[in-house]
Amino acid sequence: MLADIHTESLAELLAQVHPKQAASNGFHIFGSSLGRGDTLEIQGGPSSGKTHLLFHLIIDCIIPFQHAGCADVAIVFDMDHSFDIIRLNHLLLRRLTHSVGLDTSAAEFVAQQSLKRLHIFRPTSTLQLAATFSHLATYHSSQFSGEKIGIVAIDSMSSRYWPDRFIAEQVRNSFTSHIQPGSKHVPPLQHVLLALESFSRIHRPLVIMTNWGLHSLDNGVASLYRQHLQPLPTLSSLPAQPDRIAKINIRHPYSENMLKLTVHVTLQNIDANTWCSSSETQDGSAQFLVLLRKPNSSSVGKFILSISDEDTSLVD
């Protein structure tokens, strides 16, 4: 009799009654709003502006309401151990002095207070990343329970690609020689996605994942890439990378509960013929084309990301 009664976890119940944040409180870029609960993947080749676009969003998140920000907490998982906090602080001060109009002293004070809302973790493996996500709710309640988490960012999802792939190769060889039939291998990244989805279901941050662009679909022009990370979510219009490693990525019984991608961004150099060499303007800034895609849509939004020593800007 008890088996016939519908059951659900407390997390699932809270997710159903949790109101989605209004678009007016979201991140206004790309001609629309990225709201709480959205998942954004930023993909591109080396030095294509992925982290600078992330900087742009983090600044929107942590600066106060009165300065056109969200005054929320941003949590960054620096998988490359190269997140440049000095550069972020420089861009933050530039935003406050030039766009907001604060004097230097006031801008430095606001920047200092804003950076207190930034929390950076540096896991050394994919499994350590998953374990950190599993304890992130406890960290939130003990360190800053009175504040909302606006952004959870992973920079970069691909940083452990080759070590994880090496392990997957070893597991694949074990399957053919030592492991009994019916054994299953759950890839480390799947643990990350399950833990992240569980956290996101309750706290509803904007989840941002930067990702390498390895396999171009358009004859070398980096307008679209195959997804080389399995089982990272993809839009319905973006094909996954066919890879023999994927053959051992046996689906977890709860894989249908993993994170769903809502926005995909590809970054490419303005001049496709000089990919990975900066397309510079007269003022010395590098410009990159931002291509935005959403699920079940063939339309592609186009924007320009301009990066200089002093500032970053995003225009349509």
Side-chain angles (χ1 to χ4, degrees), residues 76-118:
V76 176
F77 291 88
D78 179 18
M79 299 300 293
D80 290 327
H81 293 199
S82 60
F83 190 85
D84 192 345
I85 189 65
I86 295 177
R87 175 64 172 165
L88 176 65
N89 183 59
H90 177 82
L91 296 174
L92 174 56
L93 288 171
R94 179 77 176 186
R95 170 88 69 92
L96 292 171
T97 54
H98 287 71
S99 299
V100 178
L102 299 180
D103 60 43
T104 301
S105 178
E108 289 177 349
F109 176 79
V110 172
Q112 184 180 37
Q113 297 303 308
S114 298
L115 288 174
K116 291 180 180 179
R117 302 186 186 98
L118 176 63

Side-chain angles (χ1 to χ4, degrees), residues 133-182:
F133 272 127
S134 297
H135 292 85
L136 193 56
T138 302
Y139 178 79
H140 174 226
S141 62
S142 64
Q143 298 297 321
F144 49 93
S145 59
E147 298 181 89
K148 295 179 183 177
I149 299 177
I151 282 179
V152 171
I154 306 172
D155 185 34
S156 153
M157 289 295 291
S158 296
S159 63
R160 306 300 300 173
Y161 172 65
W162 294 113
D164 288 347
R165 179 162 180 163
F166 175 72
I167 294 173
E169 288 279 9
Q170 291 181 314
V171 172
R172 183 182 65 84
N173 293 333
S174 296
F175 274 155
T176 59
S177 57
H178 299 96
I179 304 300
Q180 296 180 354

Side-chain angles (χ1 to χ4, degrees), residues 198-229:
S198 178
F199 178 83
S200 182
R201 201 186 322 148
I202 299 175
H203 296 272
R204 302 190 66 78
L206 169 62
V207 176
I208 305 173
M209 302 178 290
T210 67
N211 192 7
W212 298 344
L214 295 183
H215 307 283
S216 175
L217 292 178
D218 298 329
N219 299 321
V221 179
S223 60
L224 185 60
Y225 296 95
R226 291 188 184 275
Q227 182 56 266
H228 60 281
L229 293 177

Side-chain angles (χ1 to χ4, degrees), residues 8 12 16-17 20 24 48 93 113 115 152-153 167 169 179 208 242 247 257 265 284 295-296 311:
E8 62 184 0
E12 292 170 334
Q16 293 176 19
V17 302
K20 186 174 179 69
S24 60
S48 59
L93 288 171
Q113 297 303 308
L115 288 174
V152 171
I167 294 173
E169 288 279 9
I179 304 300
I208 305 173
K247 295 179 181 179
N257 294 327
V265 164
N296 304 314
D311 201 2

